[in-house]
């Protein structure tokens, strides 16, 4: 049975910082994973938002090469990010992602594997080839678009922290330890 809701805490929902909405979704997903819930059973749009945030933070912290390096250039993840960027209306970011993906696809598997197994720091011509600062010039704000996508989703629900735990405990079928 799939968990058909995207749950956000009241605190995050009422926060001035839209990143809190995204982080609340991430916390719920991480908690469900810790409880042994398979990603296939978690709301697919909640998962998509999770990975869009991963992409955004990787790119923001270390440019496209860091995303490629840390994600291991995973085909399913890349498809999810492409789908997600389109779904939240980040078409300029989508175009950039596709343009950057072409660079990786044009690379030989030997070259890509050498990059993924090597060090990201220091002299790294592949890293330099993959990096593209256009990301930082695009007007579309991925955090705003991602948070708005969650907040306007038909399966979106705002709950108190206690109600969040009660809902998740009901789903997993046992009590969840609170940190």
């Amino acid at each position: 049975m799939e968990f058909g809701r995207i749950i956000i805490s009241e605190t995050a929902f009422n926060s001035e910082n839209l990143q809190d909405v995204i982080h609340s979704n991430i916390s719920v997903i991480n908690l469900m994973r810790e409880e042994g819930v398979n990603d296939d059973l978690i709301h697919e749009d909640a998962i998509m938002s999770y990975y869009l945030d991963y992409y955004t933070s990787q790119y923001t912290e270390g440019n496209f090469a860091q995303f490629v390096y840390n994600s291991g250039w995973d085909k399913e993840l890349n498809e999810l990010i492409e789908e997600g960027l389109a779904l939240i209306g980040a078409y300029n970011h989508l175009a950039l992602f596709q343009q950057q993906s072409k660079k990786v696809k044009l690379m030989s598997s030997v070259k890509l594997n050498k990059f993924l197994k090597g060090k990201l720091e220091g002299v790294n011509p592949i890293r330099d080839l993959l990096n593209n600062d256009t990301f930082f010039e695009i007007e579309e704000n991925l955090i705003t678009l991602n948070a708005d996508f969650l907040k306007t989703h038909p399966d979106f629900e705002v709950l108190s922290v206690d109600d969040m735990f009660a809902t998740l405990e009901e789903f997993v079928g046992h009590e969840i330890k609170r940190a």
Side-chain angles (χ1 to χ4, degrees):
M1 188 183 81
E2 186 187 312
F3 189 73
R5 296 188 272 183
I6 298 172
I7 298 176
I8 305 295
S9 73
E10 284 174 343
T11 315
F13 185 75
N14 295 323
S15 169
E16 296 287 309
N17 185 353
L18 288 174
Q19 187 69 53
D20 292 342
V21 171
I22 298 166
H23 282 156
S24 184
N25 176 57
I26 289 169
S27 297
V28 169
I29 291 171
N30 287 339
L31 184 63
M32 290 175 85
R33 285 174 170 170
E34 284 165 22
E35 294 303 316
V37 177
N38 189 309
D39 279 10
D40 295 346
L41 300 177
I42 301 172
H43 198 295
E44 64 179 356
D45 287 342
I47 293 281
M48 189 207 61
S49 169
Y50 179 100
Y51 285 117
L52 276 179
D53 182 70
Y54 173 75
Y55 169 69
T56 305
S57 60
Q58 289 296 310
Y59 210 127
T60 306
E61 290 165 20
N63 216 303
F64 191 72
Q66 181 175 308
F67 167 73
V68 172
Y69 186 83
N70 287 340
S71 70
W73 196 245
D74 182 85
K75 188 177 183 291
E76 274 184 51
L77 173 64
N78 296 341
E79 287 170 2
L80 200 61
I81 288 167
E82 273 195 54
E83 201 178 293
L85 290 170
L87 206 56
I88 68 169
Y91 300 110
N92 294 326
H93 277 288
L94 175 62
L96 176 65
F97 184 80
Q98 290 168 334
Q99 175 193 327
Q100 291 297 102
S101 296
K102 272 192 190 118
K103 285 185 191 175
V104 182
K105 288 173 189 160
L106 291 172
M107 221 180 270
S108 70
S109 56
V110 172
K111 201 174 197 179
L112 178 60
N113 283 330
K114 188 179 172 194
F115 171 70
L116 295 174
K117 287 182 173 56
K119 279 197 165 92
L120 192 59
E121 306 80 31
V123 177
N124 192 329
I126 297 173
R127 176 201 60 213
D128 298 342
L129 170 81
L130 291 176
N131 283 343
N132 186 333
D133 290 340
T134 304
F135 179 91
F136 304 102
E137 296 157 18
I138 295 175
E139 294 286 315
E140 300 162 339
N141 184 320
L142 291 177
I143 293 168
T144 304
L145 291 169
N146 193 349
D148 287 347
F149 171 75
L150 290 174
K151 289 166 82 171
T152 58
H153 198 285
D155 300 328
F156 180 76
E157 219 171 301
V158 178
L159 298 173
S160 69
V161 171
D162 286 340
D163 288 345
M164 286 172 80
F165 270 96
T167 302
L168 294 172
E169 286 169 345
E170 190 182 312
F171 182 73
V172 298
H174 61 261
E175 197 176 319
I176 298 172
K177 255 197 208 142
R178 299 181 191 205

